[in-house]
Amino acid sequence: MRLGQMLSEVGAGLRRNLSMVVSVILVTFISLTFVGTAVLLQMQISAMKGYWYDRAQVVVYMCNETSIAANCVSGAASDTDLNSLEREINEGIIAPYVDGFEHQTPEEVYDRFVESQIPGFDFVTVDMLSHEYGINLTEINYANAVIERLTPMDGVETVVDQRQYLEPIFALLNAASFTAVGIAV
């Protein structure tokens, strides 16, 4: 069979089934678009986890005058409470897990909120806020050990792992990625 005749037959077949050819091209294009979207989402999730998980801290909120937590029965955290917390961070059992920490006074916390211009923050005063300790860990996997150690201390209202705020975002992005693959299939 000659090449010219074969190409003319292929051309005639494509013209007769033009709608089928267009639909195959469109379906392939859309499927590959969703697969590409899923791959890009997974790459972005990995990059975001690498960036944000290294910066996530364990934050210790100390008691203030209005705290109702079990560790806050004596009111605001005293200087003794603050010193014992810092001693535990620097010299205690969790010291090998700690890469450093930052202490913010209620005044500094107030200034940070004023700079961020959060709506409705006009009603908050400095005495409503508490001391905060942002603890950087050598490895984020040690967060639970640090939380368990610091939570029962006197003057500590709550201890929060900031990763808990990131997890829903990553879960949503993962769901979107799997949905894109499902649509592509």
Side-chain angles (χ1 to χ4, degrees):
M1 188 177 244
R2 293 184 307 200
L3 182 62
Q5 183 181 5
M6 187 172 74
L7 290 177
S8 73
E9 287 298 319
V10 168
L14 289 176
R15 278 190 301 279
R16 283 192 296 265
N17 297 316
L18 185 62
S19 62
M20 183 61 78
V21 170
V22 170
S23 68
V24 167
I25 290 172
L26 286 176
V27 167
T28 304
F29 173 75
I30 291 171
S31 295
L32 290 176
T33 300
F34 280 112
V35 168
T37 301
V39 169
L40 289 174
L41 273 172
Q42 285 302 314
M43 289 172 51
Q44 186 64 36
I45 291 167
S46 296
M48 287 174 62
K49 279 186 177 180
Y51 181 82
W52 287 108
Y53 270 13
D54 291 343
R55 287 161 181 75
Q57 295 180 320
V58 172
V59 181
V60 179
Y61 298 98
M62 301 302 286
C63 298
N64 62 22
E65 291 298 328
T66 60
S67 298
I68 57 172
N71 295 347
C72 300
V73 292
S74 59
S78 66
D79 289 338
T80 305
D81 295 335
L82 298 175
N83 291 334
S84 67
L85 178 71
E86 288 184 21
R87 192 170 37 258
E88 179 63 34
I89 293 170
N90 288 323
E91 304 165 9
I93 295 172
I94 63 170
Y97 307 144
V98 176
D99 191 28
F101 72 94
E102 177 184 329
H103 172 227
Q104 290 188 337
T105 64
E107 293 80 15
E108 292 170 333
V109 173
Y110 181 79
D111 291 342
R112 187 181 72 214
F113 279 120
V114 168
E115 288 174 8
S116 65
Q117 299 177 349
I118 297 174
F121 197 73
D122 302 337
F123 301 107
V124 176
T125 60
V126 174
D127 60 324
M128 293 177 180
L129 301 172
S130 62
H131 290 266
E132 292 181 13
Y133 287 87
I135 303 172
N136 297 320
L137 302 176
T138 56
E139 227 180 283
I140 199 66
N141 296 331
Y142 298 135
N144 289 336
V146 171
I147 291 170
E148 287 177 18
R149 181 70 179 168
L150 299 180
T151 299
M153 293 184 71
D154 290 335
V156 174
E157 182 174 6
T158 58
V159 183
V160 177
D161 181 1
Q162 290 182 333
R163 285 183 307 166
Q164 74 182 10
Y165 303 123
L166 299 173
E167 288 300 327
I169 296 168
F170 294 138
L172 179 67
L173 290 173
N174 272 327
S177 176
F178 293 138
T179 301
V181 169
I183 291 172
V185 169

